């Protein structure tokens, strides 16, 4: 890879530490350069994300081998673009950070190995980043928000409620026992013949639908621990669709709206429980942060906005491009560890499973990324 450092005379170097981030844990290949000022504030200098969705589309889901190969084929170019867009070269960097888990192991190996090679050749510190931690710390980058806060992470691969006590101190309050929420949207779309990714198509169809037409279950409602379950809801949608067949456009819209409303009711209930548990543990958990692709859903946002008002907490949702998988969040998590002198050795191993809270009881489940972290 060429040294992309522009001629020195033309460069206005951003103050602080520059970290290159690399993300390859699922079906997005991403690289980004983020600056962390001495005041702890972050700036995204570049963020390049390339989705592999078209390569997986014929198979109806992410194929791990195709994902790993696609990362190999474009990662060099994506890194080069991220450096060029930021107007910096390798020699300007303070560190290189890469997602080392949880995720699909082939993809993780590609990104982490690239980061190790850059670190070795350029004499830079390496920071192996936990993907969930990267999501969890994003609001530090976007609005300088400091812990403690409660994080609701809802994506295609993960559904978790975490208490972020501090950088490096995470308590898992709840997780899914089966499907991730984004996965439930995707499977519902598939069942109703709507295009993938399913979240946006279910949301679009639901706009013209009646959320009260189909009585669907609200899984785990009222349980004392804020865990999630979406497999039963998916089955209920299938049974309702079979009973109402043949489905016209209105029936599909009503099913989508009913599904979305059931999801929102369940997620709001589980999040309320998590907020109350968090408050019992800390004095300051009065902020709710939402991340992951499903955070784009308007009905969910409205439900969480109401919840936040009722519970007297502030709701913070990063811009959607930083809610979905990206490498700026990885670079930022890397920067947070770098300033704490927490770097990784070059033999750090990628890991498919990497729970943020090592003390959390394992909950058996399976999903798009395999067993839930
Ligand atoms: O965080 P993300 O971009 O990627 C990973 O899961 O890694 O999340 C993608 C998920 C998909 O399941 C997609 O269907 C869902 O987020 N999603 C949505 C919406 N936009 C994306 N779900 C519901 N409503 C949406 N508007
Ligand atoms: Zn993610």
């Amino acid at each position: 890879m060429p040294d992309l450092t522009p001629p020195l005379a033309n460069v206005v170097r951003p103050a602080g530490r520059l970290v290159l981030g690399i993300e390859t844990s699922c079906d997005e290949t991403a690289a980004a350069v983020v600056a962390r000022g001495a005041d702890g504030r972050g700036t995204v200098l570049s963020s390049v994300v390339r989705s592999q969705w078209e390569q997986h589309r014929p198979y109806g889901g992410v194929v791990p081998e195709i994902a790993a190969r696609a990362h190999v084929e474009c990662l060099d170019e994506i890194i080069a673009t991220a450096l060029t867009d930021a107007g910096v070269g390798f020699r300007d960097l303070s560190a290189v950070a890469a997602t080392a888990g949880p995720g699909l192991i082939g993809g993780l190996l590609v990104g982490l190995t690239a980061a190790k090679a850059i670190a070795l050749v350029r004499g830079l510190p390496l920071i192996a980043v936990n993907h969930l931690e990267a999501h969890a710390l994003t609001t530090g980058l976007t609005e300088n928000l400091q812990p403690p806060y409660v994080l609701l992470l809802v994506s295609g691969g993960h559904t978790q409620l975490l208490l972020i006590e501090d950088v490096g101190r995470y308590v898992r309050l709840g997780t899914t026992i089966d499907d991730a929420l984004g996965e439930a949207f995707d499977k519902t779309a598939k069942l109703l013949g709507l295009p993938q990714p399913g979240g946006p198509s279910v949301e679009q169809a639901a706009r013209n639908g009646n959320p009260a037409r189909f009585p669907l279950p609200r899984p785990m409602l009222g349980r004392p621990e804020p865990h999630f379950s979406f497999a039963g809801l998916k089955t209920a949608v299938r049974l309702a669709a079979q009973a109402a067949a043949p489905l016209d456009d209105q029936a599909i819209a009503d099913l989508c709206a009913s599904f979305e409303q059931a999801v929102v009711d369940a997620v709001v209930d589980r999040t309320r429980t998590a907020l109350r548990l968090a408050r019992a543990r800390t004095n300051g958990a009065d902020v709710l942060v939402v991340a992951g692709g499903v955070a784009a859903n308007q009905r969910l946002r409205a439900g969480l906005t109401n919840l936040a008002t009722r519970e007297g907490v502030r709701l913070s949702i990063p811009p959607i491009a930083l809610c979905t998988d990206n490498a700026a969040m990885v670079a930022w998590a890397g920067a947070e560890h770098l300033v704490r002198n927490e770097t990784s050795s070059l033999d750090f191993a990628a890991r498919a499973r990497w729970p943020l809270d090592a003390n959390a009881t394992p909950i058996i489940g399976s999903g798009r990324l395999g067993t839930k972290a």
Side-chain angles (χ1 to χ4, degrees), residues 23 25-28 131 135 153-158 180-187 196-204 207 259-260 291-298 300 320 323-325 368-369:
E23 160 62 40
S25 66
C26 191
D27 57 346
E28 264 96 24
H131 180 87
H135 277 299
L153 174 59
V154 276
S155 71
H158 304 284
L181 182 52
E183 200 179 359
F185 271 93
D186 295 340
K187 288 180 176 172
Q196 296 292 327
S201 25
V202 168
E203 175 164 46
Q204 203 190 336
R207 283 203 189 106
F259 165 79
E260 252 191 9
V294 188
N297 187 275
Q298 293 301 329
L300 182 62
I320 202 66
C323 268
T324 53
D325 285 351
R368 205 174 89 181
L369 296 186

Side-chain angles (χ1 to χ4, degrees), residues 272-328:
R272 182 192 300 112
T273 303
L275 284 169
R276 292 181 181 173
L277 285 176
R279 244 181 263 143
R281 292 182 66 112
T282 71
N283 289 326
D286 55 2
V287 180
L288 171 63
V289 175
V290 188
V294 188
N297 187 275
Q298 293 301 329
R299 199 187 298 260
L300 182 62
R301 281 173 176 246
L304 292 170
T305 304
N306 283 339
L307 172 71
T309 308
R310 283 200 307 273
E311 294 291 310
V313 304
R314 184 157 84 78
L315 179 65
S316 167
I317 308 181
I320 202 66
L322 294 175
C323 268
T324 53
D325 285 351
N326 67 90

Side-chain angles (χ1 to χ4, degrees), residues 171-197:
V171 180
R172 194 200 69 196
L173 301 169
T175 187
T176 178
I177 61 167
D178 41 55
D179 293 348
L181 182 52
E183 200 179 359
F185 271 93
D186 295 340
K187 288 180 176 172
T188 298
K190 195 171 179 182
L191 182 88
L192 298 174
L194 300 173
Q196 296 292 327

Side-chain angles (χ1 to χ4, degrees), residues 25 32 39 48 67 82 88 137 220 252 262 285 291 321 361:
S25 66
D39 58 359
V48 185
V88 303
L137 300 182
M220 314 291 266
I252 290 179
T361 335

Side-chain angles (χ1 to χ4, degrees), residues 2-23:
D3 186 342
L4 294 150
T5 309
L8 286 177
N10 300 337
V11 180
V12 181
R13 288 190 201 293
R17 298 167 197 243
L18 299 192
V19 178
L20 169 68
I22 297 172
E23 160 62 40

